[in-house]
Amino acid sequence: MIRLLNLAVLSVVFLSACSDVGNLKDLVTPFEISDSLETATYPEAISWWRSLEKESPYVCVKEFGETDAGLPLHIVFINTSRNFNHESIKNSGKTLWLVNNGIHPGEPDGIDASMLYAREILSRENFESEFNDLVIMIIPIYNVGGSLNRNCCSRANQNGPESYGFRGNARNLDLNRDFSKADSENARSFIKLFSKWNPDVYLETHVSNGADYPYTMTYLLSHPDKLTPPLNTYLSETISESLKSKMKGKGDEMIPYVNVFGTTPDSGFASFYDTPRYSTGFTALHNSIGLLTETHMLKPFKQRVVSTLNFLNSLGETLVEEGSHVKEARAAANMYLSKQQEFTIDWEIDDSQVDLLDFKGYEAFYDTSEVTGELQLYYDRSKQWEKQIPYLAHLKAKTIVSAPSYYLVPSSWDQVVQRLELNAVEMKLIGQDTIIEFSAYQITDFESSSSPYESHYYHSNVEVEKSSVKREIRANSYYLISTNQLKRRLLVEMLEPKGPDSYFNWNFYDEILQQKEWFSSYVFDPEASEMIKDPEILKALEVFVSKDSTNRNNSRAKLAFLYKQSSHYEGDRHMIYPVYRIE
Ligand SMILES: [Zn+2]
C-alpha cells in the first residue's frame, strides 16, 4: 500500500519536474519521498535517471548489455562537455570514474546515494568548471534480476530499508564473485563495457556484514600489495589518504573494511585478499583503481545513504583535485607492467608485518544463549573504546610465475576464448599447420570443493610439472596470444593454472582431467608381462606397489600403472593442460 502511494507521488513529481525545465531539485528520489525509508526499485531508478537526462544536458543514459533477467543494463554518463560519444570521451583525456550500484541489491545504499550525488553536483553553479576533467559513469543497478526479487527480510543483519532486492541474480549467482569466470550475462556485459571504456577509477557500493562498531563507513581498495607499481603507492598514499581526510572533514570518519566474522575486532584483523573474482581484484588486472564502500549494516538506512553520499563527494573531490595524476599513475603502471617478467599470481596474509590501526569499538561481552545454551557474543553500544589494534595490512607472495612470450590457447574451448575476447585480449588464430616448440603443464595434483560454490566445483592447490614439447599445431586449432600487450597481467593470472581464479580453477578445462580410453585386463595382461621384462619398468612397478599397500593385492591397479607407461595411454591429453607457453 505504501509503495503504491509512493509511486503515485512519484509520477506527480515527475510531471511537475518536466514542466519546470532545469530545476533539478524538483527531481526528488524514492528515498526522499519515503522519508528515507525506501530504496528505489529497478523501474523507479531507471525512470528517475531518464528524468534527470531530460532535465540536464550533461547527462546521458544508455543501455549497454543484457542480464540474466532478460532486461538491459543501463549506464549514466555525466560529462561537462555534453558529449557522450565513445571516441570523443576517450580522446578528451578526462579521468573516467565508473560507479557500480546494486551488485548486491539487498545492499542498496549506493543506488539512492548516486541519485542524490548526481543531482547535487549538477545543481552546482560551478559544475562545468569543477568537473571539467572528469567523466562520471554510473550503473544505477547492476544486478537487475536480484533487484526485481524484492523482499522485506533477506538481510537478517541489516537495519533498513523497508524492502530491497536479493543478493543472487536471476540465476542466483553472486555477481561479486563472477568477474573472472563470468558465468552471468551481467558479468559478460560488464566486462565488455569495462574493456571498451577502460575506466581509471571503479567504485562499487555495498553494505557490510560482521562485527559491530561505531563507524558507518568502511572501505576496501584494490589491495595495494597486489596492484602494479607505482599505481599501488599512488592509491594507498594519495587517493586513500585524501579519502580518509575528506570523510573525517565531513564528520564521517571511516576505517578499512573490518574483515571480522564470528569474533570481535578487539585483537585486530587482516586486510581482505581480493582475487580477480572480486571487482577490485578484477580491476587490478587492468591497472585500474578499484574501491568498495561497505557501510555498516546495523546503522539506519538513512545514515548509510548519507555516508555513501559523503564517500561519493569525497572521491569526486579527490579526483577533481588529482586531475591528470590518476591517468599518469596508470600510464606509469602500464609501463612497469610491460617490462615485468615475474608475476605473483597467488598471495597470502603476511603476519610478520603488523601495522597498528587507530580503532573505535564497542565493548563485547558474552552471555548464555537461551537457544543454544552456549556463550553468545554481544556488543554493548553504550560502552565505546578507542585503542590501537593490530592490522595485518600486507600480503606476501605465495606463487610466482614468469610470463611467457606467448600463450597458445585452444580454439575448441570456446568459453575461454569468449572471455578473453570480452577482456579485449589481442589474439590471432594460427591459420596453417605449424610445427611449434612450447612448454606444457601436466597437472600433477589438485583439490576440488566438495560442494558447489557459485555453480562450480572449484579447484585449488594445483600442482604442475612443466615439460618441453615440439609438435605440429593444426590450422585454426590454436590462438597465438602475445603477452606483450596491455592485458599482460590478466593473461598470466587467468591462464596460469595455479592462479586462484584461473580459468583452470573455475573448471573451464575439466575435460582434460578425465581419462577417456581404458583396457580389458585379460587383453592387456600379456602385453604387460612383456613390458616388465624391461628392468626399469619392473623397478617402477615395484616402487608403485611399495608406496601404497592397497596396490599390493590390486591387480587392476598394477595393470593400470603399466597401461600408463604403454603406447596405448592418452598421455598427450589426460592431465595435460591444453594452454601452452612459448617461452
Ligand atoms: Zn555486498
Side-chain angles (χ1 to χ4, degrees):
M1 190 62 194
I2 292 170
R3 179 119 304 271
L4 285 173
L5 188 67
N6 284 350
L7 281 170
V9 175
L10 258 182
S11 58
V12 171
V13 170
F14 286 154
L15 281 173
S16 71
C18 287
S19 60
D20 186 13
V21 176
N23 193 353
L24 300 180
K25 287 196 168 68
D26 285 349
L27 283 178
V28 288
T29 70
F31 170 76
E32 293 166 314
I33 292 168
S34 66
D35 198 19
S36 316
L37 295 174
E38 284 281 14
T39 182
T41 63
Y42 170 73
E44 285 170 350
I46 302 307
S47 169
W48 187 90
W49 285 105
R50 289 283 186 202
S51 298
L52 185 72
E53 181 187 38
K54 273 189 204 143
E55 297 297 327
S56 172
Y58 306 112
V59 176
C60 178
V61 182
K62 297 185 184 188
E63 290 184 6
F64 73 88
E66 286 302 313
T67 66
D68 284 328
L71 290 163
L73 283 161
H74 292 80
I75 186 154
V76 181
F77 289 82
I78 301 176
N79 187 4
T80 57
S81 310
R82 308 175 184 208
N83 186 332
F84 308 100
N85 172 274
H86 174 249
E87 278 312 303
S88 305
I89 291 180
K90 293 296 284 181
N91 294 335
S92 71
K94 295 186 181 193
T95 302
L96 264 62
W97 170 25
L98 174 60
V99 182
N100 192 3
N101 298 305
I103 187 167
H104 295 151
E107 307 166 15
D109 306 6
I111 294 171
D112 303 285
S114 290
M115 295 177 179
L116 302 177
Y117 178 64
R119 190 187 63 197
E120 198 266 311
I121 59 170
L122 288 162
S123 304
R124 290 181 197 171
E125 275 186 18
N126 64 344
F127 167 71
E128 276 204 17
S129 58
E130 188 181 356
F131 286 86
N132 191 42
D133 296 326
L134 187 62
V135 175
I136 306 174
M137 303 157 67
I138 298 172
I139 299 173
I141 294 176
Y142 176 50
N143 182 349
V144 177
S147 177
L148 295 173
N149 194 359
R150 192 97 167 176
N151 73 94
C152 64
C153 310
S154 58
R155 294 278 297 165
N157 295 337
Q158 196 168 288
N159 187 358
E162 289 189 349
S163 62
Y164 40 73
F166 184 68
R167 185 180 186 90
N169 83 335
R171 281 182 54 195
N172 209 31
L173 291 165
D174 185 333
L175 299 185
N176 198 23
R177 307 293 183 271
D178 201 34
F179 286 97
S180 53
K181 63 186 173 68
D183 285 331
S184 66
E185 195 65 39
N186 307 55
R188 293 193 289 273
S189 298
F190 175 89
I191 293 169
K192 205 171 168 186
L193 174 96
F194 197 90
S195 300
K196 179 179 176 181
W197 290 92
N198 187 20
D200 302 297
V201 178
Y202 174 81
L203 172 69
E204 195 176 278
T205 55
H206 290 256
V207 181
S208 198
N209 279 312
D212 199 4
Y213 42 79
Y215 303 95
T216 306
M217 179 58 71
T218 73
Y219 68 100
L220 275 163
L221 308 173
S222 294
H223 202 297
D225 288 347
K226 282 178 66 225
L227 204 54
T228 307
L231 199 59
N232 55 356
T233 47
Y234 178 70
L235 174 59
S236 59
E237 291 171 13
T238 305
I239 300 287
S240 171
E241 289 305 312
S242 168
L243 285 170
K244 277 194 276 183
S245 157
K246 288 184 190 303
M247 286 294 282
K248 198 169 183 177
K250 293 175 176 62
D252 195 358
E253 191 180 7
M254 63 178 190
I255 200 81
Y257 176 64
V258 183
N259 192 15
V260 173
F261 297 90
T263 180
T264 71
D266 300 40
S267 52
F269 56 88
S271 55
F272 185 78
Y273 170 31
D274 53 345
T275 61
R277 78 186 68 170
Y278 302 101
S279 54
T280 56
F282 170 81
T283 60
L285 300 180
H286 300 267
N287 281 342
S288 178
I289 291 174
L291 304 109
L292 240 73
T293 55
E294 290 271 3
T295 53
H296 190 254
M297 72 283 181
L298 292 172
K299 305 297 181 288
F301 179 52
K302 181 180 183 181
Q303 189 176 327
R304 299 195 327 255
V305 171
V306 169
S307 190
T308 307
L309 178 60
N310 285 339
F311 193 96
L312 287 163
N313 264 307
S314 300
L315 185 52
E317 290 159 19
T318 300
L319 297 179
V320 163
E321 284 166 17
E322 282 301 301
S324 60
H325 293 164
V326 180
K327 278 200 179 301
E328 286 158 16
R330 286 192 79 202
N334 283 336
M335 182 60 75
Y336 181 98
L337 181 69
S338 69
K339 295 175 182 147
Q340 189 177 348
Q341 282 305 318
E342 304 281 298
F343 286 81
T344 300
I345 56 170
D346 197 9
W347 303 78
E348 57 192 343
I349 294 292
D350 183 359
D351 50 19
S352 69
Q353 290 191 67
V354 183
D355 290 358
L356 289 173
L357 186 67
D358 291 322
F359 193 85
K360 296 183 179 82
Y362 291 136
E363 205 166 292
F365 66 96
Y366 290 83
D367 200 0
T368 305
S369 160
E370 287 182 16
V371 180
T372 66
E374 306 288 332
L375 284 179
Q376 175 61 51
L377 165 69
Y378 298 98
Y379 290 90
D380 183 347
R381 288 188 200 144
S382 69
K383 293 177 184 163
Q384 191 173 314
W385 52 261
E386 186 169 355
K387 64 177 181 183
Q388 290 192 316
I389 59 169
Y391 181 47
L392 300 175
H394 297 286
L395 299 173
K396 62 183 177 187
K398 190 174 170 192
T399 307
I400 299 172
V401 296
S402 65
S405 300
Y406 297 89
Y407 282 106
L408 289 166
V409 171
S411 54
S412 37
W413 271 271
D414 56 342
Q415 288 194 331
V416 168
V417 172
Q418 182 198 16
R419 279 152 185 76
L420 294 173
E421 283 172 344
L422 288 171
N423 279 290
V425 167
E426 293 166 23
M427 47 192 178
K428 187 177 143 219
L429 194 61
I430 300 173
Q432 56 195 34
D433 297 350
T434 314
I435 293 172
I436 302 180
E437 192 170 351
F438 53 82
S439 302
Y441 287 125
Q442 183 185 13
I443 307 292
T444 56
D445 202 7
F446 67 98
E447 291 168 19
S448 307
S449 60
S450 57
S451 56
Y453 173 73
E454 293 301 323
S455 86
H456 290 257
Y457 289 86
Y458 169 78
H459 302 314
S460 58
N461 296 326
V462 178
E463 296 297 337
V464 295
E465 271 175 23
K466 190 160 76 170
S467 57
S468 260
V469 181
K470 188 175 183 179
R471 72 169 168 81
E472 188 175 76
I473 296 288
R474 187 173 47 79
N476 300 325
S477 65
Y478 266 83
Y479 284 93
L480 180 69
I481 304 180
S482 169
T483 58
N484 185 21
Q485 57 174 300
L486 274 175
K487 308 296 175 175
R488 185 174 172 84
R489 181 169 173 185
L490 177 131
L491 286 168
V492 173
E493 295 210 23
M494 292 296 103
L495 295 177
E496 288 296 321
K498 287 171 78 71
D501 280 339
S502 67
Y503 295 131
F504 176 80
N505 273 328
W506 281 112
N507 306 109
F508 286 100
Y509 289 109
D510 274 6
E511 295 91 328
I512 61 125
L513 302 175
Q514 183 191 352
Q515 190 175 333
K516 284 289 188 278
E517 292 279 14
W518 288 88
F519 60 92
S520 292
S521 297
Y522 77 93
V523 177
F524 181 60
D525 191 84
E527 185 179 335
S529 68
E530 285 298 312
M531 285 175 73
I532 57 171
K533 287 176 183 165
D534 180 332
E536 273 191 30
I537 293 181
L538 181 61
K539 182 87 195 299
L541 178 64
E542 284 166 358
V543 170
F544 170 73
V545 167
S546 66
K547 261 191 197 164
D548 185 342
S549 60
T550 56
N551 294 332
R552 199 163 300 141
N553 301 316
N554 186 339
S555 61
R556 182 72 187 175
K558 289 179 206 172
L559 286 176
F561 174 80
L562 290 171
Y563 178 82
K564 284 195 175 177
Q565 324 293 315
S566 77
S567 58
H568 304 296
Y569 175 59
E570 60 221 56
D572 59 341
R573 288 177 187 80
H574 181 219
M575 305 301 276
I576 302 298
Y577 181 53
V579 175
Y580 305 138
R581 295 164 53 100
I582 299 178
E583 304 291 345

